[in-house]
Amino acid sequence: MTATLPETDGRLAQNIVHFARALRKAGVNVGTAQVHVAVEAVERAGFTKRQDFYHTLRACLVTRPEHLETYHQVFAFFWRDPDYLERMMKMMLPLVQAMGGEDEARPKPAERRAAEALSEAQARQPQAPDREEVEVDASFSWSEDEKFRQLDFEQMSAAEIRQASRMMRTLRLPVDPMLTRRCTPSGYGRIPDTRRMLRRAMRRGGEMHTMSFKQPRKRPPDLVALCDISGSMSVYSRMMMHFLHALTWAPNPGWGHVHGFTFGTQLTNVTRALHLRDVDLALQAAGQDAPDWQGGTRIGEAFLQFNRDWSRRVLGQGAAVLLITDGLERGDTALLETQVERLARSCRKLIWLNPLLRWDGFAPKAAGIRAILPHVGSFHACHSLDAMSDLAHALDGPGEKPRLMRAMCD
C-alpha cells in the first residue's frame, strides 16, 4: 500500500461520506468521528488494490462483529459491484425469484438492508443540491424521544419497531460476578493458603517466614431465557429476541453463557440461532427452529420438558433464569405451579418479565399468573424501551412482586 490517492476531482472523500450514510441506513452505527478517521486513513495509507480499500474502511467504520456481513454487502453494492444491477433486479422482482425457485438467488437479510439503504440514497441523489446540506433529524427531540421510549411495542409502526430494535441492541443487563468454591492466590485476605506456605517452607528447609493468602475465585453467571412466543406475545417476543441477541454478542456483558429457549405449545432451544452474528439471520434461524410461533400456550408442559431435559445441563452452574411470558396458561395450572416451583429451586434467581404490567389496573386474577407469581424472585414489565432499561435493577429488587402478592392475598 505505497500509492497515494490520485489527484482527481476530490470526490473520494465525498463518496466515503455517502458510503457511511448508506451504512447507517443499513443499520450500522457509524459516527461522524469514524467517518473523519476513515477519510484520513485512506489518505495516509493509499491503496493499489480494492481489497486494501475494503479493509481500511472496515477497520474504521465497523466496531461490532454482527455488522460485518452488512458492511460487506453495502461495500459490494456501493463501490461498483459489476453484478449490482442484476442483484437489484432480483430483489425488486419477487415474481421472477419465485419462478426461478433457486434458494441461492434469495438475498440475505443483510443484502436486503443494504439494497434498501442504497435505493433510498440513489432516490435522493437527483434532488440533492450542489451544496452539501446539513441534515438535522428533529424527529427525535428530547420530548419525542421520551415519548418513543415509553411507547408500547404493540402500538409501534413497522418503522418504529425497526428503530426500537436498533435501540434495544444497546441495552444491557448488568450483573455482579458470583463467587465459586475454588480459590485463587492473593497477596492479601483472610484465608491463609497453607499449601502454598508449606511448599515454600519445604524449599527453605522448613522455615516459614511469610504468610500466603487466597480468596474465592469469581466468574460471570450464566443466563437462561425462556421466552413465550404464543399469539398474545408475538410482538414482545420478537423484541425480547433482539434483546437476547444483544446480550449474546455484547462485549463484556457480565454474563457467561447465554442460553435461549422459546415455548408456546412446545419447548425449543434457540441458543445456536442466537449465536449467529447477524441479528436478522439469527431471528430467521430461531423462527425456523421453533414451529409454534403465534400458536397456543401450554406453559406447564413446556416447563416440564425444560426441567426434565435441560435443567441440569444449563442451570448447574448457578444460572439466573429470565422468564418472559404473560402467564395466560391454556393448559393445566396445577402442573404449571409444580414445574415453576421446581424451576425456581433449580436456578440462582427466577426473574419474570410480563408485558401485562403496562396496565395500571393490572391484578393477578388469571390462574396461570397466580400459579407462577409466588415462586419468582422478581416481577417486571417489558412492554417499552423504558421498561427494558429498568431491567438493570432486575437482579437487585423484587420489582412489582410484593404489591401483587398483597393484591392476590386480599
Side-chain angles (χ1 to χ4, degrees):
M1 298 194 299
T2 57
T4 58
L5 289 176
E7 295 294 339
T8 61
D9 54 355
R11 294 292 184 90
L12 182 57
Q14 184 178 355
N15 286 331
I16 292 176
V17 174
H18 289 309
F19 175 61
R21 291 176 179 172
L23 285 175
R24 293 193 194 104
K25 293 291 184 183
V28 180
N29 298 325
V30 179
T32 306
Q34 288 177 273
V35 178
H36 182 70
V37 171
V39 173
E40 284 191 352
V42 172
E43 289 178 347
R44 290 176 182 272
F47 60 92
T48 55
K49 297 179 182 178
R50 175 187 172 89
Q51 201 68 10
D52 298 337
F53 185 59
Y54 171 90
H55 287 289
T56 302
L57 290 183
R58 195 184 78 167
C60 300
L61 301 179
V62 180
T63 57
R64 298 176 65 86
E66 62 266 29
H67 292 159
L68 289 177
E69 181 63 24
T70 304
Y71 170 85
H72 176 75
Q73 298 299 336
V74 176
F75 184 91
F77 288 164
F78 190 89
W79 299 104
R80 299 177 183 178
D81 184 359
D83 299 328
Y84 170 71
L85 292 179
E86 181 181 354
R87 297 161 73 91
M88 287 290 292
M89 288 295 294
K90 289 181 179 179
M91 293 180 192
M92 299 305 172
L93 297 176
L95 179 60
V96 175
Q97 296 181 28
M99 295 174 63
E102 295 179 1
D103 294 336
E104 296 180 357
R106 185 178 304 166
K108 299 177 181 179
E111 281 185 327
R112 189 179 300 114
R113 292 204 304 270
E116 291 175 352
L118 291 180
S119 63
E120 289 184 13
Q122 289 189 349
R124 292 178 180 178
Q125 280 183 358
Q127 288 78 23
D130 295 333
R131 295 179 60 185
E132 183 178 358
E133 291 184 351
V134 178
E135 298 181 358
V136 179
D137 185 6
S139 60
F140 293 108
S141 59
W142 186 85
S143 58
E144 293 297 326
D145 183 69
E146 287 297 311
K147 292 180 180 178
F148 179 73
R149 294 184 65 87
Q150 296 176 2
L151 188 62
D152 194 311
F153 293 140
E154 202 169 38
Q155 300 174 357
M156 289 182 176
S157 64
E160 290 171 338
I161 285 288
R162 289 195 293 271
Q163 174 71 13
S165 301
R166 288 193 290 270
M167 298 177 68
M168 187 77 76
R169 298 172 199 164
T170 63
L171 299 180
R172 296 293 179 266
L173 187 62
V175 62
D176 295 329
M178 57 184 298
L179 299 177
T180 66
R181 295 181 178 180
R182 296 182 179 277
C183 293
T184 182
S186 175
Y188 57 91
R190 298 180 178 179
I191 307 176
D193 192 346
T194 53
R195 291 187 178 181
R196 190 179 175 193
M197 288 189 293
L198 288 175
R199 285 196 300 268
R200 185 179 300 169
M202 290 177 63
R203 290 194 296 268
R204 296 176 179 272
E207 182 181 358
M208 185 180 302
H209 64 95
T210 57
M211 291 289 292
S212 298
F213 299 94
K214 60 183 179 181
Q215 61 181 4
R217 185 179 301 174
K218 296 181 180 179
R219 71 167 180 83
D222 295 340
L223 179 66
V224 178
L226 299 173
C227 185
D228 187 347
I229 57 172
S230 60
S232 58
M233 288 285 295
S234 58
V235 176
Y236 304 105
S237 57
R238 181 174 179 81
M239 300 304 295
M240 293 302 108
M241 297 303 288
H242 276 278
F243 179 60
L244 294 178
H245 186 270
L247 287 182
T248 304
W249 283 99
N252 303 319
W255 295 96
H257 298 286
V258 179
H259 303 274
F261 293 84
T262 63
F263 64 89
T265 57
Q266 65 184 55
L267 184 74
T268 305
N269 187 353
V270 295
T271 303
R272 183 173 298 178
L274 290 175
H275 281 75
L276 296 176
R277 289 184 177 179
D278 188 281
V279 63
D280 291 329
L281 288 176
L283 295 185
Q284 182 181 358
Q288 293 174 350
D289 292 341
D292 53 342
W293 283 85
Q294 300 186 12
T297 309
R298 296 192 181 93
I299 308 176
E301 296 180 12
F303 286 2
L304 172 62
Q305 185 178 355
F306 177 82
N307 290 329
R308 183 186 60 202
D309 299 336
W310 293 101
S311 177
R312 293 183 179 178
R313 302 186 195 182
V314 299
L315 300 181
Q317 301 298 320
V321 174
L322 207 59
L323 176 59
I324 307 165
T325 178
D326 53 12
L328 302 180
E329 171 67 306
R330 300 290 182 85
D332 186 358
T333 54
L335 173 65
L336 172 60
E337 185 172 6
T338 303
Q339 297 304 321
V340 168
E341 183 181 4
R342 178 180 173 184
L343 175 63
R345 289 200 306 264
S346 303
C347 65
R348 181 186 180 194
K349 186 168 186 178
L350 182 57
I351 306 166
W352 187 6
L353 306 184
N354 191 334
L356 294 180
L357 278 178
R358 66 186 184 275
W359 307 112
D360 295 335
F362 173 78
K365 296 182 179 179
I369 296 176
R370 298 174 72 90
I372 298 176
L373 186 59
H375 304 288
V376 299
S378 58
F379 191 37
H380 304 267
C382 62
H383 61 285
S384 65
L385 290 172
D386 266 355
M388 295 299 299
S389 300
D390 292 339
L391 290 181
H393 309 288
L395 299 181
D396 299 330
E400 297 291 326
K401 181 184 175 182
R403 180 178 65 83
L404 295 176
M405 285 296 295
R406 289 194 296 272
M408 193 168 68
C409 296
D410 291 341

